[in-house]
């Protein structure tokens, strides 16, 4: 069997004039169609921060536009004024950057429908990226309602975005502290009443609505942009993937566990031991399947939890009587049962026994979660 | 030989359809094999230098072409198995035939490439066209004789090593004992004997019990050039492990662990991804290993595990573009790296059809381009420069003008001479140093 010569020889040297070589006239064909030039948006976005008009649209359209949401666009008054020196464009741009990368990572995992098996290395690297971001978000989420003044390093993020994240957790903790000073009612500020969970996603976008009793409560400036982006990210994620609700309980439990790990982790977040310890908790909730990368629920359960529970004081789940499903002993700042009772009393019609309202609300929350997530 | 030695365009080949996915010289440099995305292998052979033209080097011409792998379908997973040739490795020549290993994602094949220039003639039972004769018509017997014929090069698959890899094979490496070789996929490394195709030994397994805990994969592996018990493998977390097969049957515990501590000033979201090692190569001497990650090439001394002895920046100007490169997947490109014959110069590819050479002794480096425009006879390759900051000089190219679809992932260096083969998409360029 003869094989057709696959290559045409193109010899341009004149040293062998006695041979004749045919010239190749075909242009270069590639099967790969890439955007061969870098999209100009990213360099611009990361180098020059520009204002941007639509509030929540940046997330889904990050690929085309760059921009930064200014504080006074949606979080006016309080938020804008209270911007402390430690936060600033660097923190916000870092958050935006992180959110962008988060979305890109999700899209990579779930929009891709290859005929051949996707590269495991690529999948693992994207997953690791998502996990790191999620862990950061969790830490930030857990820090907001609870600020245990601990020996956090107080080095402030420098102005350039590039130096902003010297350590992933490094940034989250200092930002929380200077702003959360002396809040008296952390729970009221952060606890989302169960009834409100049934409402529109907009609830999450307007923290003021959730904190009627705490005008002086200062969420870290990172909070509002995150919520906003969370809601749009939430929409995106809901579009993309089905989820299961089995993860929420475990996720919520791990949320509280994160609170402790933050303090310990002034160093690199991605130290293998640490990530492994975290991962072991997180992994219970991840039904990811590396063998066959299908789109079902790889990290989305955790993602949604993170988004939805970001502002919810998970100390609710800390009470032993009601954490039968979530096993991990949690550690948040000690919360007085009275505070909880006060907040929850309006929602339960029965006379309140210490443990009962929590159980009820747990199941109620689970039910609401299911509805929201649309499983 | 210094790397700033001028390189001259020599010749190039273009595949009609497919992207070249691997390039490899054999141990003498006489043969150059390329594999492409369509599962084909093309072997070039260097012409013997004729006595009349001593001052000119032999040139490479197509020697053999064959279809090594075909696309397959995995019915269990409903996924295609690509026929793309991931790696080719030559065996040292032991007789008149040439042997090479070629692999796609799942199956390794041993090919024998041999020449046939004689043909037996004079069979008793067949006539010259091969038709059977009626035995009743045969009255005499004769002994068939071999008569010369036109040279024919044939490739035959001698062994097929299949069904041993659940994940995608990224590397194969022939052992210095020439009796065994290893194949590495994302999570496992298997040791084969060339003679045995239905069995392989698993020597490394990093698959976690729970796949959801998976955070690291194997990216490349290679045997030590002289010690048949030693091999290294690299990971997606930027680490290299050296293993000794004498220590235990399953080399999950490394003998040496090479990792450079992260530079905190360069930390970003993409630190892990850009630290993923895409290629690892032992030096010819066996004293050093070279690793390629997204932005750098590093040379490690086997005796020092805590950091590389040399680090070369390939295209550091991409550091500020990592998000875009993540978005368009370029950040996952797997660049290879090669040593020259004397281990004094290392070479690797970049974007825009650029490739870089670093002279380890003089610490000088050069950027060259593999393109049609440069491909005039005996044209000396002009060093290129990427302009990073504001002012762009006349011949420089700015970062934003780089063509990221033109990437040079695969290069090869002749084992003893300064002849390099560079694969640019579906073009193969061969350059040699300037001969006066």
């Amino acid at each position: 069997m003869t094989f057709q010569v696959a290559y045409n020889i193109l010899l341009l040297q004149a040293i062998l004039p006695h041979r004749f070589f045919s010239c190749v006239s075909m242009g270069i064909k590639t099967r790969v169609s890439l955007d061969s030039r870098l999209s100009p948006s990213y360099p611009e976005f990361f180098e020059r921060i520009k204002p941007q008009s639509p509030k929540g649209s940046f997330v889904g359209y990050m690929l085309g536009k760059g921009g930064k949401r200014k504080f006074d666009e949606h979080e006016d008054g309080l938020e804008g004024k209270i911007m402390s020196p430690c936060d600033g464009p660097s923190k916000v741009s870092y958050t935006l950057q992180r959110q962008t990368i988060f979305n890109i990572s999700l899209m990579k995992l779930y929009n891709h429908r290859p005929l051949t098996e996707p590269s495991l290395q690529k999948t693992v690297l994207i997953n690791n990226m998502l996990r790191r971001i999620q862990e950061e978000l969790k830490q930030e989420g857990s820090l907001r309602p609870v600020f245990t003044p601990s020996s956090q390093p107080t080095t402030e993020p420098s102005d350039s975005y590039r130096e902003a994240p010297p350590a992933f957790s490094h940034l989250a903790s200092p930002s929380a502290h200077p702003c959360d000073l002396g809040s008296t009612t952390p729970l009221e500020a952060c606890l989302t009443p169960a009834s409100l969970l049934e409402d529109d996603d907009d609830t999450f976008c307007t923290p003021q609505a959730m904190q009627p009793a705490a005008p002086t409560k200062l969420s870290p400036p990172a909070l509002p942009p995150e919520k906003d982006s969370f809601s749009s990210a939430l929409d995106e994620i809901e579009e993309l993937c089905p989820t299961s609700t089995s993860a929420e309980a475990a996720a919520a439990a791990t949320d509280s566990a994160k609170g402790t790990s933050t303090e310990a982790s002034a160093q690199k977040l991605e130290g293998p031991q640490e990530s492994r310890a975290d991962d072991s908790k997180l992994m219970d909730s991840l039904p990811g399947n590396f063998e066959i990368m299908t789109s079902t629920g790889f990290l989305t359960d955790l993602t949604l939890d993170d988004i939805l529970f970001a502002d919810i004081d998970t100390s609710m789940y800390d009470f032993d009587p009601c954490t039968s499903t979530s096993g991990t002993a949690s550690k948040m700042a000690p919360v007085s049962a009275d505070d909880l009772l006060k907040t929850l009393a309006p929602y339960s019609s029965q006379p309140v026994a210490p443990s009962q309202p929590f159980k009820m609300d747990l199941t109620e929350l689970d039910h609401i979660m299911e509805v929201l997530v649309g499983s | 030989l210094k790397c700033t030695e001028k390189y001259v365009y020599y010749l190039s080949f273009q595949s009609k359809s497919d992207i070249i996915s691997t390039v490899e010289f054999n141990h003498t440099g006489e043969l150059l094999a390329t594999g492409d995305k369509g599962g084909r292998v093309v072997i070039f052979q260097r012409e013997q230098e004729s006595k009349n033209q001593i001052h000119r080097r032999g040139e490479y011409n197509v020697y053999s072409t064959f279809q090594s792998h075909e696309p397959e379908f995995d019915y269990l997973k409903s996924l295609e198995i690509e026929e793309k040739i991931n790696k080719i490795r030559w065996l040292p020549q032991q007789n008149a035939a040439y042997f090479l290993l070629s692999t796609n994602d799942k199956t390794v094949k041993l090919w024998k490439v041999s020449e046939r220039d004689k043909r037996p003639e004079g069979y008793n039972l067949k006539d010259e066209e091969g038709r059977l004769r009626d035995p009743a018509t045969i009255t005499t017997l004769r002994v068939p004789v071999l008569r010369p014929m036109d040279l024919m090069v044939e490739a035959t698959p001698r062994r097929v090593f299949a069904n041993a890899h659940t994940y995608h094979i990224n590397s194969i490496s022939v052992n210095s004992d020439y009796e065994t070789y290893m194949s590495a996929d994302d999570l496992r490394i298997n040791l084969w004997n060339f003679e045995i195709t239905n069995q392989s030994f698993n020597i490394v397994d990093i698959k976690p019990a729970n796949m959801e805990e998976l955070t690291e994969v194997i990216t490349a592996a290679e045997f030590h050039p002289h010690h048949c018990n030693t091999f290294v493998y690299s990971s997606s977390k930027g680490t290299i492990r050296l293993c000794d097969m004498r220590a235990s049957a399953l080399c999950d515990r490394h003998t040496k662990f090479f990792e450079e501590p992260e530079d905190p000033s360069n930390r970003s979201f993409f630190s892990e991804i850009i630290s993923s090692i895409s290629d690892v190569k032992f030096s010819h001497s066996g004293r050093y290993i070279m690793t390629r990650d997204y932005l750098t090439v590093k040379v490690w001394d086997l005796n020092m595990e805590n950091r590389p002895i040399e680090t070369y920046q390939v295209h550091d100007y991409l550091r500020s573009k990592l998000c875009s490169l993540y978005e368009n997947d370029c950040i996952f490109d797997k660049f290879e790296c090669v040593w020259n014959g004397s281990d004094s110069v290392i070479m690797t590819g970049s974007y825009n059809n650029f490739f870089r050479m670093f002279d380890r002794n003089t610490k000088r480096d050069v950027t060259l381009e593999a393109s049609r425009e440069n491909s005039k006879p005996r044209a000396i390759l002009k060093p290129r420069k990427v302009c990073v900051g504001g002012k762009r000089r006349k011949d420089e190219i700015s970062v934003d003008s780089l063509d990221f679809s033109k990437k040079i992932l695969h290069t090869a260096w002749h084992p003893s001479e300064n002849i390099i083969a560079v694969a640019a998409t579906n073009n193969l360029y061969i350059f040699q140093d300037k001969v006066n």
Side-chain angles (χ1 to χ4, degrees):
Chain A
M1 184 178 172
T2 56
F3 294 90
Q4 187 180 5
V5 172
Y7 291 108
N8 291 329
I9 299 175
L10 171 68
L11 182 70
L12 299 185
Q13 264 186 341
I15 59 172
L16 296 166
H18 62 280
R19 289 217 212 163
F20 174 74
F21 295 88
S22 60
C23 278
V24 177
S25 57
M26 299 286 289
I28 293 178
K29 286 191 286 187
T30 69
R31 280 188 190 167
V32 181
S33 59
L34 290 174
D35 173 16
S36 59
R37 300 277 183 272
L38 282 179
S39 131
S41 62
Y42 286 121
E44 283 172 1
F45 171 61
F46 289 135
E47 287 164 17
R48 272 191 332 267
I49 294 176
K50 294 187 274 206
Q52 187 224 353
S53 39
K55 180 161 87 173
S57 67
F58 85 99
V59 164
Y61 310 108
M62 224 31 235
L63 309 181
K65 308 177 204 169
K68 162 204 164 189
R69 197 184 308 106
K70 283 190 178 160
F71 279 126
D72 53 4
E73 272 180 9
H74 62 92
E75 239 51 75
D76 39 358
L78 226 45
E79 221 35 78
K81 282 181 197 160
I82 283 147
M83 215 169 78
S84 47
C86 75
D87 314 293
S90 61
K91 171 63 178 165
V92 175
S93 70
Y94 172 80
T95 313
L96 289 181
Q97 184 183 353
R98 180 175 63 192
Q99 191 60 53
T100 310
I101 295 170
F102 187 80
N103 294 339
I104 294 172
S105 306
L106 278 178
M107 289 203 296
K108 278 188 190 306
L109 280 183
Y110 293 104
N111 278 353
H112 189 45
R113 290 271 185 274
L115 295 167
T116 58
E117 216 166 333
S119 155
L120 185 63
Q121 180 198 359
K122 195 167 139 184
T123 309
V124 165
L125 289 172
I126 298 174
N127 289 339
N128 291 351
M129 173 81 86
L130 283 169
R131 280 180 195 158
R132 270 204 303 279
I133 295 179
Q134 284 188 343
E135 281 160 18
E136 255 193 51
L137 293 174
K138 276 201 168 314
Q139 286 171 11
E140 289 184 3
S142 62
L143 276 172
R144 260 177 261 115
V146 180
F147 40 91
T148 53
S150 62
S151 54
Q152 292 284 1
T154 48
T155 56
E156 306 193 340
S158 58
D159 289 342
S160 150
Y161 82 95
R162 302 254 317 258
E163 294 156 62
F168 288 120
S169 58
H170 211 175
L171 195 59
S173 23
S175 71
H177 278 57
C179 310
D180 302 339
L181 300 172
S183 166
T184 53
T185 56
L187 292 171
E188 288 168 287
C190 304
L191 181 62
T192 305
S195 59
L196 286 182
L197 282 175
E198 281 179 299
D199 295 347
D200 204 333
D201 290 343
D202 286 342
T203 310
F204 296 102
C205 301
T206 52
Q208 273 76 4
M210 292 194 287
Q211 306 170 10
T216 57
K217 164 81 176 74
L218 315 170
S219 328
L223 170 56
E226 262 176 340
K227 279 207 213 120
D228 212 40
S229 54
F230 282 154
S231 66
S232 36
L234 176 65
D235 294 334
E236 207 173 345
I237 289 161
E238 281 186 333
E239 266 167 33
L240 287 174
C241 357
T243 56
S244 67
T245 52
S246 57
E248 281 97 25
T254 63
D255 217 5
S256 45
K258 280 294 165 191
T260 52
S261 67
T262 324
E263 288 150 43
S265 67
Q267 69 275 18
K268 287 200 309 189
L269 183 60
E270 52 230 19
Q273 302 86 3
E274 194 175 43
S275 60
R276 207 165 288 130
D278 297 340
D279 282 353
S280 57
K281 293 182 193 114
L282 291 173
M283 286 317 112
D284 303 330
S285 50
L286 298 185
N289 182 0
F290 276 100
E291 301 280 356
I292 302 168
M293 269 311 302
T294 61
S295 65
T296 51
F298 172 73
L299 276 170
T300 51
D301 303 326
L302 210 49
T303 307
L304 280 168
D305 285 335
D306 194 44
I307 291 166
L308 295 171
F309 286 94
D311 290 315
I312 296 168
D313 181 7
T314 54
S315 58
M316 251 187 67
Y317 293 84
D318 296 350
F319 280 74
D320 289 337
C322 60
T323 52
S324 52
T325 52
S326 54
T328 36
S330 56
K331 173 68 191 78
M332 299 287 266
V335 164
S336 87
D338 289 342
D339 289 340
L340 279 174
L341 282 177
K342 279 184 220 155
T343 31
L344 294 171
Y347 312 122
S348 72
S349 47
Q350 295 126 297
V352 173
S355 60
Q356 213 147 2
F358 303 119
K359 274 191 182 138
M360 245 168 45
D361 279 296
L362 258 182
T363 47
E364 216 178 327
L365 269 171
D366 271 350
H367 175 65
I368 289 158
M369 274 306 305
E370 279 177 44
V371 169
L372 277 175
V373 168
S375 65
Chain B
L1 204 69
K2 299 188 280 262
C3 81
T4 47
E5 192 76 17
K6 296 180 170 60
Y7 275 82
V8 171
Y9 170 77
Y10 184 35
L11 37 74
S12 72
F13 304 88
Q14 184 182 50
S15 162
K16 281 201 173 103
S17 55
D18 268 322
I19 298 171
I20 299 171
S21 51
T22 183
V23 187
E24 186 82 357
F25 279 100
N26 76 339
H27 294 261
T28 59
E30 180 201 356
L31 298 178
L32 173 66
T34 63
D36 67 19
K37 210 159 160 252
R40 275 178 298 274
V41 172
V42 179
I43 302 178
F44 301 87
Q45 185 190 42
R46 196 176 186 192
E47 297 295 335
Q48 298 301 322
E49 296 172 27
S50 66
K51 296 190 176 73
N52 320 347
Q53 302 163 351
I54 293 175
H55 61 286
R56 277 191 285 263
R57 312 270 187 90
E59 62 178 47
Y60 286 86
N61 292 312
V62 177
Y63 178 64
S64 170
T65 305
F66 57 93
Q67 185 75 32
S68 171
H69 285 73
E70 296 279 359
E72 289 169 34
F73 196 76
D74 182 337
Y75 292 99
L76 262 154
K77 297 181 189 174
S78 274
L79 291 170
E80 247 185 50
I81 298 173
E82 268 195 301
E83 68 273 32
K84 172 169 74 95
I85 308 292
N86 292 336
K87 284 281 160 34
I88 290 177
R89 290 288 182 261
W90 289 95
L91 269 67
Q93 195 175 6
Q94 287 169 319
N95 53 31
Y98 305 103
F99 287 87
L100 61 79
L101 285 175
S102 74
T103 185
N104 69 346
D105 283 338
K106 297 287 186 182
T107 305
V108 185
K109 294 188 183 179
L110 176 69
W111 286 88
K112 175 182 176 184
V113 181
S114 50
E115 294 178 8
R116 187 192 291 272
D117 61 356
K118 296 183 193 45
R119 182 180 59 209
E121 287 178 17
Y123 282 104
N124 292 294
L125 295 174
K126 292 189 292 188
D127 65 14
E128 295 307 313
E129 278 83 43
R131 286 183 300 235
L132 287 175
R133 278 183 178 168
D134 180 2
T137 64
I138 298 171
T139 54
T140 61
L141 286 178
R142 56 187 173 164
V143 177
V145 293
L146 291 173
R147 297 220 189 280
M149 60 178 260
D150 291 338
L151 177 67
M152 193 167 79
V153 180
E154 27 178 45
T156 48
R158 303 297 292 176
R159 306 271 187 275
V160 177
F161 305 92
N163 303 322
H165 286 280
T166 310
Y167 306 98
H168 291 180
I169 298 175
N170 52 54
S171 318
I172 46 176
S173 178
V174 179
N175 206 347
S176 49
D177 62 8
Y178 305 149
E179 287 183 4
T180 56
Y181 75 94
M182 71 164 156
S183 56
D185 67 27
D186 294 315
L187 297 177
R188 298 191 178 101
I189 301 181
N190 293 332
L191 182 72
W192 301 84
N193 182 301
F194 280 111
E195 301 302 318
I196 302 169
T197 58
N198 58 0
Q199 253 188 41
S200 71
F201 289 101
N202 176 241
I203 53 177
V204 173
D205 188 340
I206 64 167
K207 182 178 172 186
N210 183 359
M211 276 297 273
E212 291 157 13
E213 292 169 4
L214 179 66
T215 56
E216 190 174 11
V217 299
I218 297 171
T219 52
E222 196 181 43
F223 268 117
H224 192 283
H226 311 309
H227 305 308
C228 58
N229 54 287
T230 305
F231 65 93
V232 293
Y233 69 93
S234 59
S235 82
S236 58
K237 287 199 171 168
T239 64
I240 307 107
R241 288 169 177 80
L242 183 139
C243 300
D244 187 335
M245 294 196 287
R246 298 170 300 187
S248 68
L250 187 61
C251 301
D252 275 354
R253 295 219 320 252
H254 51 263
T255 304
K256 294 199 185 195
F257 182 77
F258 300 84
E259 186 180 27
E260 183 175 26
E262 191 183 350
D263 177 8
S265 65
N266 268 338
R267 186 160 174 174
S268 74
F269 284 108
F270 306 101
S271 293
E272 187 194 352
I273 298 183
I274 62 171
S275 74
S276 175
I277 292 174
S278 52
D279 194 17
V280 65
K281 291 267 171 46
F282 272 101
S283 64
H284 290 93
S285 61
R287 270 200 64 189
Y288 305 103
I289 47 177
M290 167 168 56
T291 58
R292 174 71 154 97
D293 53 61
Y294 191 63
L295 296 178
T296 70
V297 186
K298 293 177 178 162
V299 177
W300 305 73
D301 187 319
L302 282 187
N303 299 316
M304 187 162 78
E305 299 168 51
N306 58 352
R307 60 179 174 82
I309 56 171
E310 295 155 27
T311 301
Y312 301 95
Q313 301 295 333
V314 181
H315 38 215
D316 200 57
Y317 44 79
L318 297 182
R319 200 178 282 274
S320 56
K321 315 284 181 192
L322 292 178
C323 197
S324 301
L325 295 165
Y326 180 63
E327 194 224 331
N328 66 11
D329 275 355
C330 282
I331 209 173
F332 299 108
D333 286 336
K334 294 191 195 165
F335 292 94
E336 293 173 5
C337 52
V338 289
W339 298 87
N340 75 337
S342 59
D343 299 336
S344 59
V345 182
I346 57 183
M347 174 169 68
T348 188
S350 177
Y351 293 105
N352 210 73
N353 280 349
F354 288 169
F355 58 100
R356 304 259 284 138
M357 288 185 189
F358 303 92
D359 188 318
R360 297 178 59 216
N361 300 324
T362 65
K363 301 303 178 200
R364 289 168 68 177
D365 62 84
V366 68
T367 304
L368 301 172
E369 183 179 0
S371 75
R372 293 305 195 82
E373 291 77 41
N374 297 345
S375 307
K376 307 277 186 307
R378 303 232 203 115
I380 295 175
L381 294 181
K382 198 175 59 173
R384 304 302 309 262
K385 192 148 162 46
V386 176
C387 138
V388 187
K391 284 191 206 174
R392 188 177 75 88
R393 291 205 193 95
K394 196 180 71 143
D395 285 336
E396 291 181 357
I397 183 167
S398 76
V399 182
D400 296 317
S401 313
L402 293 175
D403 189 341
F404 288 87
S405 67
K406 293 188 184 162
K407 52 192 86 172
I408 292 181
L409 305 173
H410 312 287
T411 59
W413 206 309
H414 190 284
S416 51
E417 296 185 37
N418 280 337
I419 302 175
I420 55 177
V422 175
T425 320
N426 57 349
N427 283 296
L428 176 73
Y429 294 87
I430 301 180
F431 301 107
Q432 64 183 21
D433 61 346
K434 189 164 183 295
V435 178
N436 289 315

